[in-house]
Amino acid sequence: MDKGRIIGVLLGFLIAIPVYIRLLCRVFTVGFGVFKVKERKPPACLQDPQFGVHKYMKVNGIKIHYVEAGEENKPLMVFVHGFPEFWFAWRHQMNYFKKNYRVVALDNRGYNDSDKPAGIENYHIKNLIDDVKALVEGLGVNKFTLVGHDWGGAICWTFAALYPELLDNLIICNCPHTLSLRDQRQ
């Protein structure tokens, strides 16, 4: 190791000492409850009825949370969020499109109020795609518009490749096609 790196590591340890001392003091005064996540009530803006109705559906063995707005007889538009967002990222689009569409913004597995199954194998893209498919089928729809942003865009690109017959439209924001991403890795 070079001299600069050693100095950087030592400096990092010195800066961290007060943090560790404070943590130890908290453990002695509060106990190990210091590591427990507090139960909190969600902010009022997340429960605002102008964005839609909060619902849950069991799909592929897990509970998916979603927010739905608009009339049920209108065409369905599904929003898939990116990382590290959740349904709330789509609130403005939902508010706008609910006039002409039945809009649904879901929380992908592992996010917000959706279940968080243990094990990395539960977060394979095929599982995420099948969650969207099962949710749409559970809503009683066989064709819809799919909108994705960031990581949700990658989910939507792959969904379109596997289930093109289910889509009326595909809208991707801020995510190149997955094949172009693969090509750039080479």
Side-chain angles (χ1 to χ4, degrees):
M1 253 202 269
D2 64 355
K3 187 177 178 180
R5 183 170 290 180
I6 292 171
I7 291 172
V9 169
L10 289 174
L11 194 58
F13 280 127
L14 287 174
I15 292 171
I17 288 173
V19 174
Y20 289 125
I21 290 172
R22 184 168 190 278
L23 180 61
L24 278 173
C25 291
R26 295 269 301 151
V27 167
F28 286 126
T29 58
V30 179
F32 285 98
V34 73
F35 297 110
K36 186 178 178 189
V37 177
K38 296 177 189 174
E39 290 294 324
R40 296 187 174 150
K41 188 177 169 188
C45 63
L46 293 181
Q47 302 299 323
D48 192 335
Q50 78 166 340
F51 301 128
V53 179
H54 293 261
K55 297 182 179 182
Y56 297 88
M57 186 182 295
K58 193 88 164 173
V59 299
N60 302 322
I62 64 163
K63 178 187 73 174
I64 293 288
H65 170 256
Y66 63 99
V67 178
E68 183 176 10
E71 298 172 26
E72 280 195 33
N73 62 344
K74 293 190 175 177
L76 179 65
M77 180 181 282
V78 176
F79 295 97
V80 183
H81 64 80
F83 175 83
E85 300 165 331
F86 62 109
W87 75 266
F88 194 67
W90 295 109
R91 67 192 180 281
H92 300 299
Q93 291 81 2
M94 291 178 70
N95 217 18
Y96 180 81
F97 285 108
K98 72 181 178 184
K99 299 168 194 138
N100 299 315
Y101 290 87
R102 174 186 183 189
V103 293
V104 168
L106 67 117
D107 287 333
N108 289 319
R109 59 173 62 205
Y111 291 85
N112 196 28
D113 284 343
S114 289
D115 281 348
K116 296 156 186 68
I120 195 167
E121 67 280 357
N122 288 305
Y123 296 91
H124 188 275
I125 193 161
K126 181 72 166 101
N127 293 334
L128 298 166
I129 292 162
D130 288 341
D131 290 347
V132 173
K133 182 177 185 274
L135 178 69
V136 169
E137 289 170 348
L139 294 171
V141 176
N142 54 15
K143 274 205 155 315
F144 67 104
T145 297
L146 185 58
V147 183
H149 169 258
D150 187 54
W151 173 238
I155 294 168
C156 293
W157 277 123
T158 311
F159 184 98
L162 295 176
Y163 305 112
E165 70 281 359
L166 297 177
L167 296 179
D168 282 326
N169 299 294
L170 176 65
I171 302 165
I172 306 296
C173 308
N174 196 33
C175 182
H177 193 277
T178 50
L179 291 178
S180 68
L181 291 172
R182 184 194 66 191
D183 292 346
Q184 290 303 310
R185 287 182 58 192
Q186 295 173 348

